């Protein structure tokens, strides 16, 4: 679903997912402009991140790599296709060579052999730490106690991925809780808290993706959808006018991620479920 930036309404729906990458037609082959946060360009209500050139991973990222990532992610059920790219680089995951990609819905994909062979959501993490003895090694620890992801890439790319994961995790959680070992958290990288919804829309769609929902904007019950399409963004804007969240018309599957997104959101004073 593609949304209007003006009112959040559906502009059009696509059967095919969009490219994770910027338009490559106007880009030099040796300089794909992927995904590092640019503090000067970050935006508000939709939490859109400005982008600039990403650090190079184990080797340069080329247009053919971008195409391989796009094709692999478009085959994956949990790739929405309307999200923004936050990171992409050559790396190894548990010693297996791959292309890593992180999206603004907070999902990390590892791609090799034309498919995304592993994925996790940042909300599953409890830590993202660089190895002091090996600066290019990033340890992504899971809250479940399962074995961590061991990501090896260039030192600059590892540090960038750590920051991107921290930003996405903090946005979804509504507070800073991911353990990184950074002496001073780079607060300037976080999107500004939107006065309208406290970043509820961004966190809601991220938690929806974390819980396995493919189309994160489809939130109304079938009865209400028959009367007209209302997206998650439109719901949030309606609620912001009163400071109260009315979840009575939502699909049951949409209430759980919404509740998680509201856990540390101070922009609303009431939560109605029936």
């Amino acid at each position: 679903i593609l949304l209007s930036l003006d009112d959040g309404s559906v502009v059009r729906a696509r059967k095919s997912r969009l490219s994770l990458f910027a338009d490559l037609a106007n880009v030099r082959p040796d300089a794909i402009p992927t995904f590092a946060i640019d503090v000067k360009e970050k935006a508000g209500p939709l939490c859109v991140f400005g982008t600039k050139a990403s650090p190079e991973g184990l080797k340069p990222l080329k247009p053919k790599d971008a195409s391989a990532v796009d094709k692999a992610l478009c085959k994956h059920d949990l790739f929405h296709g309307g999200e923004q790219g936050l990171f992409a680089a050559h790396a190894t995951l548990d010693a297996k060579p791959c292309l890593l990609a992180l999206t603004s819905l907070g999902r990390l994909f590892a791609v090799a052999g034309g498919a995304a062979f592993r994925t996790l959501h940042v909300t599953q993490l409890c830590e993202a730490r660089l190895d002091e003895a090996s600066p290019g090694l990033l340890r992504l620890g899971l809250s479940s106690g399962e074995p961590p992801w061991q990501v090896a890439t260039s030192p600059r790319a590892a540090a960038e991925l750590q920051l991107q994961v921290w930003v996405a995790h903090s946005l979804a959680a509504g507070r800073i809780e991911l353990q990184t070992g950074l002496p001073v958290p780079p607060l300037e990288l976080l999107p500004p808290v939107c006065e309208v919804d406290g970043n509820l829309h961004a966190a809601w769609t991220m938690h929806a993706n974390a819980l396995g929902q493919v189309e994160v904007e489809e939130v109304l019950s079938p009865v209400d959808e028959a009367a007209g399409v209302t997206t998650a963004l439109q719901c949030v804007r309606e609620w912001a006018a009163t400071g109260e969240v009315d979840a009575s018309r939502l699909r049951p599957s949409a209430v759980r991620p919404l509740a998680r997104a509201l856990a540390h959101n101070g922009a609303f004073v009431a939560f109605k479920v029936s």
Side-chain angles (χ1 to χ4, degrees):
I1 290 178
L2 302 182
L3 304 181
S4 164
L5 290 176
D6 295 326
D7 60 9
S9 62
V10 175
V11 176
R12 60 191 170 114
R14 294 173 57 101
K15 293 183 179 180
S16 60
R17 293 175 174 86
L18 303 178
S19 168
L20 183 68
F21 291 82
D23 181 9
L24 300 182
N26 300 317
V27 177
R28 301 198 322 270
D30 60 340
I32 307 294
T34 54
F35 319 148
I37 291 175
D38 187 333
V39 176
K40 297 178 181 178
E41 296 182 11
K42 62 187 180 183
L46 299 178
C47 294
V48 175
F49 300 93
T51 58
K52 59 184 180 182
S54 275
E56 182 179 309
L58 294 179
K59 55 184 178 180
L61 191 67
K62 298 182 178 180
K64 66 176 183 179
D65 301 320
S67 176
V69 172
D70 273 341
K71 290 179 180 179
L73 266 56
C74 283
K75 297 176 185 176
H76 199 285
D77 288 341
L78 293 178
F79 178 60
H80 175 265
E83 62 262 58
Q84 195 178 359
L86 296 184
F87 178 89
H90 283 280
T92 64
L93 175 58
D94 298 332
K96 179 175 180 176
C98 65
L99 282 156
L100 280 180
L102 175 67
T103 78
S104 60
L105 287 182
R107 184 162 293 279
L108 189 64
F109 296 91
V111 174
F117 65 93
R118 288 182 71 182
T119 183
L120 64 74
H121 196 275
V122 295
T123 56
Q124 297 174 253
L125 299 175
C126 60
E127 69 171 358
R129 292 182 183 270
L130 294 172
D131 191 309
E132 294 182 1
S134 180
L137 182 62
L138 177 64
R139 182 180 187 273
L140 300 175
L142 279 73
S143 303
S144 64
E146 297 176 72
W149 279 30
Q150 301 279 0
V151 176
T153 184
S154 70
R156 286 187 60 222
E160 180 69 26
L161 178 57
Q162 180 193 36
L163 292 178
Q164 303 282 18
V165 166
W166 176 80
V167 167
H169 188 282
S170 300
L171 181 57
R175 62 179 180 175
I176 298 169
E177 59 183 13
L178 186 68
Q179 301 298 308
T180 61
L182 294 170
V184 180
L187 299 179
E188 69 277 3
L189 293 182
L190 294 176
V193 177
C194 176
E195 295 180 0
V196 174
D197 71 348
N199 293 341
L200 175 60
H201 176 256
W204 187 10
T205 54
M206 292 173 78
H207 281 289
N209 184 265
L211 292 172
Q213 295 180 26
V214 178
E215 183 44 75
V216 295
E217 288 292 335
E218 291 179 348
V219 296
L220 288 189
S221 66
V223 173
D224 286 297
E225 282 184 346
V229 177
T230 301
T231 65
L233 179 56
Q234 288 176 312
C235 288
V236 169
R237 289 180 172 178
E238 289 177 7
W239 300 335
T242 62
E244 297 182 354
V245 172
D246 183 358
S248 59
R249 296 188 301 145
L250 301 183
R251 296 172 182 266
S253 60
V255 176
R256 187 180 177 195
L258 175 60
R260 289 187 177 186
L262 281 167
H264 303 288
N265 188 306
F268 299 92
V269 297
F271 181 55
K272 179 182 177 182
V273 293
S274 62

